[in-house]
Amino acid sequence: MLYREAGDYKKSYAEDSQTFPLKLDRYGYYAILAIAFLVVPFVINDYWASAVLIPFLIWSIASLGLNILTGYCGQVSLGTGGFMAVGAYASYKLMTSFPDLNIMIIVLLSGAITASVGVLFGLPSLRIKGFYLAVATLAAQFFLVWLFNKVEWFYNYSASGQISAPTRSMLGFEVTGPAASASAKYLFCLVLVVLFAWIARNLTRGRIGRSWMAIRDMDIAAEIIGVNPLKTKLTAFAVSSFFIGVAGALFFAVYLGAVEVGEAFGIQKSFLVLFMIIIGGLGSVLGSFIGAAFLVLMPVLLKNIMVIRLGWPGDLAGHLELVIIGGIIMLTLVLEPHGIAQIWRVTKQKLRLWPFPH
Amino acid sequence: MTATADTYETPDGRTIGGKVLEMRNITLRFGGVVAIKDISFDIREGEIRAIIGPNGAGKSSMLNVINGFYHPQEGEIWFHGEKRKPMKPYQIAKQGIARTFQNIALFKGMSTLDNIMTGRFNQMKTNMLAQMLWKGPAEREEVENREIVEKVIDFLEIQAIRKTPVGALPYGLQKRVELGRALAAQPKLLLLDEPMAGMNVEEKEDMSRFILDVNDEFGTTIALIEHDMGVVMDISDRVVVMDYGKKIGDGTPDEVINNQDVIDAYLGVDHG
């Protein structure tokens, strides 16, 4: 009864293939956008920004990116952390080499640089699939982290080996650097998230998205339809790495401010993003957001309950947190391999008929 | 019918045109195994051409040669009067050859509509930037192609399963969706690898009707592999018979059925 299609007529194919075919969904989406842009920036404080909202937004971009590659195109990648590092170091080099360049342009250029690195490491995907490709991308992860540690040019020969983001503003508001306000950082990330979610949705609904899914589901059949496998896979690697590079640049410049590559972009980050898309839902834009929200919020929530409410020691809580999240990942894999997004879809089907069984 | 004439009439009054595809002395080897041995035949415009033969005769290999999965060691392939260079399958698809598979090769994670829309891949041209923006050229192109796809859906009578994921469909419908995906490309030559394998009589009748209607309404040239002799004899204009990689018969169904080599291949030779 809640999600009724009755009376919601589609008069054209364009209307039939819109992102939110149901009125209720559409208005819900507008409402969320309105709250995110018009309410949250005024009530946000430093704790909420740095513990919850900004990491959620940045990981959303990263998991959208990995979902395009793994969820839509079927190419498993464990190089996410390494590609994020490329984005971060690209933005650092650009910020320090061109101090007058707008921060938005720097972030997008970092994405473009990461895209070209991603294409390079995507080349083996023509020959190898599945686990073997995952191992090849794992090599990318370790190589890139090693590279940014080893070659001093990347961190401008600083003694600590760290990179730290200089202050840059957007439209008169500082978005990077120690003095940037929570709401400016939040809005900067939010604009990019909305932009990239929109691009991800548009790319996956049309010709290119269908060619990705065709390669994922049956590469031989895709080829006899006219899909060039190499070009299609490399496009997926490029788009995916662009997203991940932007996430890396934001993670460094806006969120952390100062970064040491092995710590910030290690292999755990690659797995974190992979878990996000598995829990959220492979091949789903909504799933990328759900997965990112889940894995960002869950640790905060567990810590709040165990340490602050129950007064357990911090190290015990930290270990339990890993156990609980690991358990949830296994449960999702067993019970609903298509992730929380699929549970949401099934729930919507049920809500359409509720309270009647048929 | 004379083999040298450019066109011929079928018994039911259709005029069959010139050669769409000509295979000349094709030989295909896998190491020491000769899968196809010195076979020549042609497929003419507007005809339904069947390739039959016992298991392991090399029929599917022949289709794989036509759409570029295998490259023959010897022989030439002529398509629309031009000698074809060795090409990748996706390049051959762009030339207008579509096919279905013996074991259904649908995109399991996608809906019926998306599967058939994927068949329009070669006809869709908008670039990545337009795709990202969606509004404008990309959406217009999507709607134009959707109209063609909807015609295919109407034609195959699968309107009701438009938005169903194909993995959830019964076997017969999956076969139909796969035919739809090939039809959506509006191919010049349609290759069907055992379109009726594993079907019951009713489904076979449906599929035969669709094949005949495709040929009749769109004038599509069709080459098909099939084991059901009744179907082959009923719907095809000319038949190639293969056995152990060699061609042992070629002609109208009536000619083939009375060919002694063909009878021997199917029924066995009395060695006593």
Side-chain angles (χ1 to χ4, degrees), chain B residues 155-171:
Chain B
F155 177 80
L156 293 173
E157 297 161 16
I158 47 177
Q159 297 93 334
I161 55 165
R162 206 185 265 127
K163 302 242 163 131
T164 316
V166 289
L169 294 174
Y171 180 82

Side-chain angles (χ1 to χ4, degrees), chain A residues 267-329:
Chain A
I267 179 77
Q268 317 90 297
K269 293 296 190 297
S270 300
F271 282 114
L272 180 69
V273 182
L274 193 63
F275 293 154
M276 281 176 185
I277 62 170
I278 291 173
I279 292 179
L282 290 166
S284 157
V285 171
L286 177 68
S288 312
F289 283 100
I290 297 176
F294 198 84
L295 283 189
V296 169
L297 285 176
M298 199 64 169
V300 177
L301 190 73
L302 288 176
K303 197 183 235 169
N304 262 323
I305 293 175
M306 290 191 289
V307 180
I308 298 171
R309 286 285 150 81
L310 300 175
W312 293 355
D315 51 348
L316 175 69
H319 292 303
L320 268 180
E321 180 193 312
L322 290 178
V323 171
I324 292 170
I325 286 175
I328 289 169
I329 290 164

